[in-house]
Amino acid sequence: MCRHLGYLGPPVPLERLIFDPPHSLATQAWAPRDMRGGGTINADGFGVGWWPPGASAPVRHRSAMPIWTDASLPSLAAATSSGAILAAVRSATVGLPVVETAAAPFTDGRWLFSHNGVVRGWPSAIAAQARDLPVEDLLTLDAPTDSATLWALVRAKLCTGEPPAKAVAAVVTEVAVAAPGSRLNLLLSDGEQLIATTFGHALSVRPSRDSTLISSEPLDPGPAWQPVPDGHLVVATAGQVEITPL
């Protein structure tokens, strides 16, 4: 599968999420606790995106290599702070390419997007959904993968003005019907809100008075972490979380 996280709140160094906690994202790359049969480690690339203060669009750093092999990332993560962060480590589905452009987060304009899971029977299973996409979107996919296709489907709905939560929920429900057995944990952010789903995989949230942290697996053993039930939609801002059935 993959592991991902999203944060909104007071600015913190990237290392506070990626490296410092006892079960940080970097640790989840080589020692995940809940892969549900989707591989054993997340060594097929990683990415981190963040919104600099006052910026309307995020900055992104991606690689096709395991996160622990990037010698420059620890110093970058220590020197860079943000109040809006989305990061992921990748375990590629068998047969799909291991390239930098296949690693989340995917981006367009102010958005960052990640997918933890697999679309069963891709690409034929969701060919009908992809047929409705603009041809230019299909020709400019970051990579020929199920995750990049999901991002194209979500992005197309966003471009029509559909509210983010509705767009994400619609893609999950449509793909779940077309490709039974898929795992569709999606994570979307524009730097002001986090939209996430649980569909076939785990997710936890840690809200506080002025921040919200969403992660595939809790970063620490603290009691503030709350598991999100399967088949649910999370809509969060800094310090506020709403969880509803899909």
Side-chain angles (χ1 to χ4, degrees):
M1 297 296 100
C2 299
R3 309 280 81 187
H4 58 206
L5 63 79
Y7 169 82
L8 293 175
V12 297
L14 302 184
E15 67 178 0
R16 191 81 59 85
L17 306 175
I18 298 174
F19 293 112
D20 288 351
H23 196 55
S24 66
L25 188 65
T27 300
Q28 293 178 37
W30 61 269
R33 293 172 178 159
D34 187 3
M35 292 291 280
R36 304 198 181 188
T40 56
I41 60 174
N42 298 284
D44 298 320
F46 73 91
V48 56
W50 65 95
W51 287 260
S56 59
V59 175
R60 180 181 58 175
H61 175 68
R62 294 192 294 179
S63 172
M65 303 299 291
I67 193 170
W68 61 82
T69 66
D70 190 328
S72 64
L73 184 60
S75 58
L76 171 67
T80 304
S81 294
S82 177
I85 301 165
L86 195 154
V89 290
R90 182 177 184 234
S91 176
T93 300
V94 175
L96 297 188
V98 179
V99 293
E100 177 182 314
T101 53
F106 302 100
T107 188
D108 185 34
R110 70 185 190 275
W111 299 103
L112 289 176
F113 174 86
S114 177
H115 166 224
N116 169 26
V118 61
V119 177
R120 299 295 183 193
W122 180 89
S124 59
I126 57 171
Q129 285 73 26
R131 195 175 297 123
D132 295 330
L133 291 171
V135 173
E136 185 175 347
D137 287 5
L138 291 173
L139 294 175
T140 56
L141 285 179
D142 274 23
T145 66
D146 52 355
S147 297
T149 306
L150 289 173
W151 168 226
L153 292 171
V154 171
R155 182 178 60 186
K157 292 183 181 297
L158 294 173
C159 287
T160 66
E162 198 158 321
K166 185 177 179 181
V168 169
V171 168
V172 169
T173 53
E174 292 166 9
V175 173
V177 171
S182 296
R183 295 173 178 169
L184 302 168
N185 278 32
L186 309 188
L187 180 59
L188 176 73
S189 182
D190 61 356
E192 297 181 357
Q193 59 185 326
L194 291 166
I195 312 295
T197 58
T198 53
F199 198 95
H201 221 306
L203 191 73
S204 293
V205 298
R206 192 187 72 186
S208 70
R209 180 178 57 82
D210 58 357
S211 69
T212 298
L213 178 56
I214 298 176
S215 180
S216 297
E217 300 179 14
L219 305 187
D220 56 62
W225 288 99
Q226 304 170 13
V228 180
D230 195 25
H232 279 68
L233 174 75
V234 181
V235 179
T237 57
Q240 185 173 354
V241 176
E242 181 181 3
I243 301 173
T244 57
L246 279 165

